[in-house]
Each structure stands twice: as structure tokens, then as C-alpha cells.
Amino acid sequence: MVASTQPPSTGITAGFVGAVGNTPLIRLNALSALTGCEILGKAEFMNPGGSVKDRAALGILLEAEEQGLLQPGGTVVEGTAGNTGIGLTHLCNARGYKALIVIPDTQSAEKIGLLRSLGAEVRTVPAVPYRDPNNYVRLSGRIAEETSGAVWANQFDNLANRRAHYNSTGPEIWQQTGGRIDAWVAATGTGGTYAGVALYLKEQNPAVRCVLADPHGSALYSWATDGSLTSEGSSITEGIGNSRVTANLEGAPVDDAVRVADQQALATIYDLLWQEGLFLGGSVGINVAAAVETARRMGPGHTIVTVLCDSGDRYRSRLYDAAWLAGKGLQQPVRAA
Ligand code: PMP
């Protein structure tokens, strides 16, 4: 669990670990005005490692330590789209471990470069489907098995991931809204954030509507709406969408689902930049666009919470680059004069 490590009165935080979590819940003013709802974003990009995955990384590491699986100088191995690896590498530095990260070569150069700068051993691999034994997640599991003194973080199926969100993100949202929350909306990669928060909120109030957001190219929208695992199209977003139901997602409440196209997600992150001054990543575009659609479906007067997962800084050469977007058949939004 992601423990609160300091009494609040001291004003002092216990290192990197103590700085994870307790992020602001930001009212998105323009979108709230547009919808007549309170659209609120949990500012996970403000975690010390820069993303929502700091919480999962910390929860996984602490449970591994508690179980005696990690000794000083040991290695944490993980397959990741980047953010979990970044969080884990910060934590490994802070706690005396090595980090070995397997990442698909389709992920942004910013994330891969950052992992190397932080000191992780990084292995980039071709992006192949999960059923292929050389898929980055499966490969990371094998490397962990073959490396002495190593643990496999296994974020997709290790329930320490969603427990971290059940124990920290969920309670923070409940407290920050004073229990006045009508809907929770999030896309899922591992499912840890969506499921951990959804399970916690439903326990506080079963009427909280839990809405799964999904990009194209992922099978979770169809899973949530008709139970099949089928996908159509593709997405430039990173870290979200899946072809399977992970252990972390299994059993999570899903009341509704929203699929968001990349062009819509792009329009959303540029609006967040120009209207709110928030510089954010692509999965945020999916989340916030889905929150706006949820507001439309529920009608005015509701409070809807979603996640601002990471910063736009991690995607400057992609989402914020007109030529890169054009190469993907997407248009960079144009700012109104
Ligand atoms: N957004 C980004 C940018 C991510 O890296 C991730 C993690 N893969 C998510 C969203 C989804 O989080 P989770 O793994 O908890 O479903």
C-alpha cells in the first residue's frame, strides 16, 4: 500500500517515496462551463516521477520488500510503455536497487531517453502482440526469471498495482470532493488506476458511475459494452488500451464505456493547454474527452472526476509536432485568433 509517511503537521516529506500521491484535484474551468458539470482532473503528472504510475510502482515495490523478495542491490525488471519504468527507476535509485526496463520501440523517444538518463538498463524491443512470446511484457517476465536477485514487477497482473490506487488515489478523490462525486472516468492500460479507484468509490457510494474510456485499437470498449474482445482502428496514444482483461481490471465495476478518436483526444489536450494552461499527454485527451461525453450523457449538475496522467513534455516530438502528426494522418489543432 502507498503509505502516508509523515504526520501532516511537520510539513516535511520522507524522500521520493513520501512525495508520491496527494496530488491536487484540478477543476477544468472551460469544460465545466461548457457542460454545466464539475469536470475535475486528478493531477497525477505532479507526482515526483511525473506520472500516475509512481503510485503503482511504489505499491509494487513496497509489497515486494514486505514479502522479502528484494534484497539490497537487487534488480527490479519490468515491461512498460515507459511511465511505470520511470517511476520504478526513481524508486530503485532511492532504495538501492537496479532497474531493468523492457520497452516497445514504438514509445516516445522522450520516455526512452529519460529512462536511460535516470540510470535504468533499457532494452527496446519490437512491438508485437501479447500472444507472441517476445511481447515486451512476456519477455520482461522471462528476463526476471533468468536474472539472479531479480523481481518481476508484473504491473498488469500484480494486484499490488490496483491496491495502491484503492489505498491512495481513491481515498484522496473521495476526500477532495467531500464525497460529492457522481462519476469516475478513466482509460486503462494495466487497469490499476481505473479499477482501484472504481472499487474504492463504489464502496463509499454504489451510485458513483464508473466509466471506462478507451482509444481505438483497444479491445476494452467492446469488452465493456458487449463482452467481446474486438478492436478496430489504431491510436497514437501511449500507455492505454489493451487486447486482454488483466488481473488488475478483472472484477472492476463498469457502468458505461466511451471510445474516443485520436483527433478528438488531440483537440482536447490542445484545449487544455490553451484554455487551462495545462500541458498534458495523449491519454489525458482520451480521459478528458470521455469525461465531457459522460457529462453530456448524465446532464448538467454532476461532478465528474478523471485523471491527468502525465505531462505533454513526454510527447513534445509527437503530439506537439505538426509534422509528426501529419505523418499519422492527424491534424495539429489550430489556435483561434
Ligand atoms: N496514461 C499513461 C500515459 C500511462 O502511462 C498509463 C499506464 N500504462 C495509463 C494512462 C494507464 O494507467 P493504468 O496502467 O493504471 O491503467
Side-chain angles (χ1 to χ4, degrees):
M1 99 169 220
V2 180
S4 165
T5 46
Q6 285 290 319
S9 57
T10 67
I12 295 166
T13 287
F16 185 98
V17 168
V20 175
N22 290 313
T23 54
L25 185 61
I26 300 179
R27 180 175 192 267
L28 304 177
N29 291 319
L31 293 174
S32 297
L34 181 78
T35 56
C37 286
E38 290 292 293
I39 309 279
L40 309 176
K42 189 77 170 133
E44 292 302 295
F45 63 96
M46 292 175 73
N47 277 304
S51 89
V52 66
K53 300 300 313 204
D54 285 5
R55 298 187 193 250
L58 177 56
I60 288 168
L61 208 75
L62 290 182
E63 287 200 17
E65 286 179 351
E66 275 164 27
Q67 290 162 14
L69 302 173
L70 259 177
Q71 305 307 322
T75 304
V76 180
V77 181
E78 185 58 322
T80 159
N83 281 331
T84 303
I86 291 165
L88 280 172
T89 307
H90 279 288
L91 286 160
C92 284
N93 286 338
R95 292 176 92 78
Y97 308 120
K98 296 189 277 284
L100 194 163
I101 301 301
V102 185
I103 184 168
D105 57 13
T106 49
Q107 302 305 291
S108 80
E110 287 90 330
K111 285 190 292 188
I112 295 171
L114 178 55
L115 279 164
R116 293 208 165 101
S117 300
L118 295 176
E121 181 182 338
V122 181
R123 301 205 189 154
T124 55
V125 294
V128 293
Y130 186 74
R131 63 177 178 276
D132 187 317
N134 286 324
N135 168 273
Y136 72 109
V137 175
R138 296 178 61 182
L139 183 61
S140 70
R142 281 205 307 282
I143 292 173
E145 251 171 48
E146 290 160 7
T147 308
S148 76
V151 292
W152 185 31
N154 189 19
Q155 58 170 333
F156 288 89
D157 296 305
N158 180 349
L159 294 180
N161 172 356
R162 85 178 188 194
R163 273 194 287 274
H165 292 284
Y166 179 90
N167 288 324
S168 71
T169 326
E172 287 172 32
I173 290 170
W174 185 252
Q175 277 158 23
Q176 286 169 310
T177 56
R180 286 182 297 279
I181 167 171
D182 299 298
W184 157 246
V185 182
T188 106
T190 64
T193 311
Y194 174 83
V197 172
L199 288 165
Y200 180 84
L201 293 175
K202 281 281 187 191
E203 268 177 31
Q204 312 314 306
N205 177 5
V208 176
R209 195 169 174 76
C210 294
V211 181
L212 192 150
D214 211 28
H216 284 267
S218 167
L220 298 177
Y221 175 80
S222 73
W223 170 73
T225 47
D226 67 22
S228 72
L229 279 168
T230 54
S231 66
E232 54 186 71
S234 64
S235 175
I236 58 162
T237 57
E238 297 178 30
I240 55 170
N242 211 326
S243 58
R244 70 184 179 103
V245 178
T246 62
N248 276 293
L249 186 57
E250 187 83 55
V254 183
D255 299 306
D256 199 4
V258 177
R259 181 155 55 195
V260 178
D262 280 350
Q263 194 64 56
Q264 182 62 37
L266 270 183
T268 306
I269 54 170
Y270 278 77
D271 278 348
L272 289 169
L273 178 58
W274 293 330
Q275 297 176 335
E276 312 286 347
L278 294 167
F279 185 45
L280 300 166
S283 69
V284 179
I286 303 286
N287 281 350
V288 174
V292 169
E293 172 60 15
T294 300
R296 200 190 60 74
R297 291 181 189 176
M298 294 180 83
H302 294 98
T303 297
I304 297 165
V305 177
T306 190
V307 199
L308 312 179
C309 312
D310 65 359
S311 160
D313 216 22
R314 283 187 184 170
Y315 312 94
R316 276 174 58 210
S317 67
R318 294 186 164 196
L319 304 175
Y320 295 92
D321 185 277
W324 188 87
L325 289 173
K328 299 286 175 190
L330 293 162
Q331 268 190 324
Q332 188 178 41
V334 178
R335 191 170 190 166

